[in-house]
Amino acid sequence: MKYPIQIFSLGPKIIELHWPKIIAEDVLLEIIALKNNIENKYSPIISSIYHSYQVLSIQLKEIEYASEVTTWLKELIIRPMSRENLPARWIWTVPVCYAPEIVSSQNQYLQEKNMDLETLIEYHISKSFLLYFYGFLPGFMYLGGLPETLHIPRKTIPDRKISKGSVAIGGSQTGIYPVDSPGGWYVVGKTPVAIFENGQVKLPFNPGDKVQFASISPQRYTELQEGSVHNWEKTAYCG
């Protein structure tokens, strides 16, 4: 691996691997490759495995496997990362309506930033955002790569309710609220596509993929909102 990795035991059945405290795509790729390698070898004895920006956490079903897995991990992390353990990666297009009649609270962001709507849209759709992981809420994506021009401190007093489908900005991040939820981010747009429905996440995106927002009209927003199934557009990503 390119980065130094530390291994910690958090109780008899939990093993954690820690990367340096940076948020970077090559760190994410190491985590994904290692995670896939671990699942391929030890899936039957793993209770759960998940990751954040710099941590990969493994919970084993039984205590007796901890020593074997730890020894194997110590040998694995000093080897070069193999691209064979990385899945195919995609750039997914997410339709977003930025029209004020659809996003009534959008003006809060524009006033705080002293920015016009055209500039907001231009920067928000100008690049794709790397999906690091899901968390906070079912289907809530932690996306990296927001242009610095759009950064804004989170609200001092969070809103009691941000509606599902709201595309928002908080700090140096952007994301989509999959369900109605309290939140301290500024809403800048809305997607008509259901993200979490009937107890299931409806997104085909995986960590390591990218998300590209595409501006749509209020009419198109309504059409997609009324549709039963969304046909996701994607292109291959070879980053």
Side-chain angles (χ1 to χ4, degrees), residues 55-220:
V55 177
L56 177 61
S57 182
I58 309 156
Q59 182 166 356
L60 303 173
K61 292 180 179 178
E62 302 293 341
I63 300 173
E64 63 195 68
Y65 302 119
S67 178
E68 175 190 339
V69 174
T70 300
T71 300
W72 179 75
L73 286 172
K74 287 178 179 178
E75 296 174 356
L76 186 63
I77 62 176
I78 61 176
R79 301 176 193 165
M81 181 186 76
S82 173
R83 287 266 171 179
E84 294 179 358
N85 291 314
L86 289 174
R89 302 171 68 196
W90 304 96
I91 301 175
W92 300 88
T93 300
V94 176
V96 177
C97 183
Y98 297 91
E101 58 264 40
I102 299 295
V103 196
S104 59
S105 60
Q106 178 194 76
N107 202 46
Q108 295 177 22
Y109 176 86
L110 296 177
Q111 288 182 345
E112 287 289 333
K113 292 289 291 181
N114 191 25
M115 179 182 290
D116 58 62
L117 179 57
E118 290 72 22
T119 301
L120 164 63
I121 297 173
E122 177 186 352
Y123 277 97
H124 205 242
I125 68 173
S126 66
K127 61 180 298 184
S128 54
F129 301 95
L130 181 63
L131 172 56
Y132 280 90
F133 60 96
Y134 289 95
F136 172 52
L137 296 167
F140 187 91
M141 297 179 284
Y142 281 82
L143 302 173
L146 184 70
E148 191 172 350
T149 304
L150 299 181
H151 292 188
I152 187 172
R154 298 181 185 186
K155 294 180 180 180
T156 305
I157 302 176
D159 294 326
R160 291 185 177 181
K161 178 183 175 182
I162 294 180
S163 60
K164 65 180 181 179
S166 292
V167 179
I169 294 174
S172 60
Q173 294 178 300
T174 189
I176 307 172
Y177 282 80
V179 296
D180 294 346
S181 167
W185 291 18
Y186 288 86
V187 177
V188 297
K190 287 203 73 174
T191 181
V193 183
I195 293 177
F196 185 79
E197 199 172 47
N198 299 323
Q200 291 186 326
V201 176
K202 296 293 186 178
L203 299 177
F205 319 157
N206 293 310
D209 288 347
K210 285 197 166 188
V211 171
Q212 175 79 56
F213 295 121
S215 179
I216 60 172
S217 67
Q219 179 181 351
R220 183 58 177 154

